[in-house]
Amino acid sequence: VSQSRYDRITLKERLSKVDLNKTRYPGMAVAELLQPQDEDELVDLFHEESLIRNRVAYMVMMTRHGGDKSAQAMIDMVKSQKGFFKDPPNDDDHEALHRALFFLGPIAVRSDIARQFLRDACEIECWKLHRQYSVVERVEPHEDRYLAADALTGLALSGLPEAMELITAMKQWDRDRVNPWAGGLSEAAEMFEYSKEPDHWKYLFLTNDEKMKKAMNWRESSAGKEWKAWRRKIRGIE
């Protein structure tokens, strides 16, 4: 008989024993505490926070074992945002909103709700339809594409074959159309490579230094160099 959530140590109690900043990606110490049965409590902790920035750690934790419940909570959050976001680099809530799309990727392996949403969310038209908030004037014309790019990167981290099919198809677009996507497609291709690693779920729990090292290794790989050459060609920097 499986333990109920009430006769074991709660996630909140386990988290009190590790260093946790709710606005940051948690480390491997947190990942090791997580169990498949924690999803209900994680979703509760997520909903207790009114600021999106304070949900970041919980959303990353959801990528470990979360399924449909986690996916639905994050999707509802993204779709229901109204109002105005400040300059993105200085607005932690706006940044966290975008990160949510990326975090849905690893969940899509277990959740059809996440997979289908991300597949739709890779299209700019999806955001023209569903985005209810606005951002500063400088970013507003590009925001739908930025959201679509984050959805694509998330889908790529899931490792689902349709992610690479989409990346490959978009790469064939004519130069003017693909130019704004060049960086996003390259990043998505990089994430798809990471998804092939045996413990790829650990990626979001790595330190910034570890992520930087992975990125540098990718750029030095033959695939990374090919993507760099392609980006330069598309942007006319040959």
Side-chain angles (χ1 to χ4, degrees):
V1 181
S2 63
Q3 288 180 303
S4 80
R5 57 189 287 203
Y6 301 106
D7 59 15
R8 60 191 181 89
I9 300 171
T10 66
L11 177 61
K12 206 167 192 174
E13 287 172 302
R14 276 176 278 145
L15 290 175
S16 68
K17 295 173 172 58
V18 293
D19 184 29
L20 182 72
N21 178 338
K22 291 186 284 191
T23 68
R24 298 280 175 265
Y25 291 32
M28 208 56 75
V30 171
E32 285 161 4
L33 290 175
L34 299 171
Q35 300 168 6
Q37 313 94 291
D38 290 328
E39 183 174 27
D40 285 346
E41 194 180 346
L42 259 179
V43 172
D44 289 345
L45 291 170
F46 170 94
H47 283 305
E48 278 175 21
E49 301 296 337
S50 54
L51 295 172
I52 312 175
R53 71 186 79 172
N54 289 338
R55 293 173 166 179
V56 169
Y58 298 137
M59 291 193 285
V60 173
M61 285 184 239
M62 287 170 175
T63 67
R64 179 72 185 101
H65 296 294
D68 286 345
K69 288 178 185 173
S70 299
Q72 200 60 62
M74 289 159 73
I75 291 165
D76 289 346
M77 178 190 79
V78 173
K79 282 186 170 180
S80 66
Q81 289 307 307
K82 294 182 172 72
F84 177 78
F85 285 96
K86 298 191 297 254
D87 200 296
N90 307 310
D91 189 329
D92 291 338
D93 290 315
H94 182 262
E95 175 71 19
L97 185 70
H98 275 262
R99 293 289 83 191
L101 295 168
F102 181 46
F103 300 150
L104 280 165
I107 297 173
V109 179
R110 295 175 295 272
S111 166
D112 267 350
I113 290 173
R115 187 192 62 77
Q116 188 57 57
F117 174 77
L118 284 179
R119 185 61 192 81
D120 294 342
C122 292
E123 306 281 346
I124 291 176
E125 296 305 317
C126 169
W127 296 106
K128 287 182 179 172
L129 214 60
H130 292 297
R131 178 164 67 95
Q132 301 191 64
Y133 67 85
S134 58
V135 283
V136 288
E137 194 177 337
R138 177 176 59 81
V139 176
E140 183 62 40
H142 313 289
E143 180 69 358
D144 293 333
R145 177 170 53 80
Y146 292 158
L147 288 163
D150 282 333
L152 179 62
T153 312
L155 192 64
L157 192 60
S158 76
L160 292 167
E162 61 209 84
M164 189 42 79
E165 287 164 16
L166 189 56
I167 292 165
T168 307
M170 291 171 73
K171 199 179 177 188
Q172 308 309 313
W173 287 352
D174 66 61
R175 186 169 171 172
D176 285 348
R177 187 181 178 196
V178 81
N179 191 357
W181 284 90
L185 287 179
S186 183
E187 188 182 352
E190 181 180 343
M191 292 300 142
F192 193 79
E193 280 300 310
Y194 295 166
S195 78
K196 296 176 185 174
E197 296 169 7
D199 290 333
H200 77 274
W201 65 266
K202 290 181 177 178
Y203 177 72
L204 292 170
F205 295 92
L206 297 177
T207 64
N208 286 337
D209 283 349
E210 288 167 332
K211 286 185 186 133
M212 186 70 73
K213 191 177 176 186
K214 275 181 86 67
M216 286 169 70
N217 288 343
W218 154 256
R219 282 167 202 150
E220 290 306 310
S221 71
S222 57
K225 285 175 177 171
E226 278 177 35
W227 274 98
K228 182 180 179 182
W230 175 78
R231 276 200 319 272
R232 290 173 70 85
K233 182 181 174 185
I234 290 297
R235 288 173 172 166
I237 328 173
E238 289 175 289

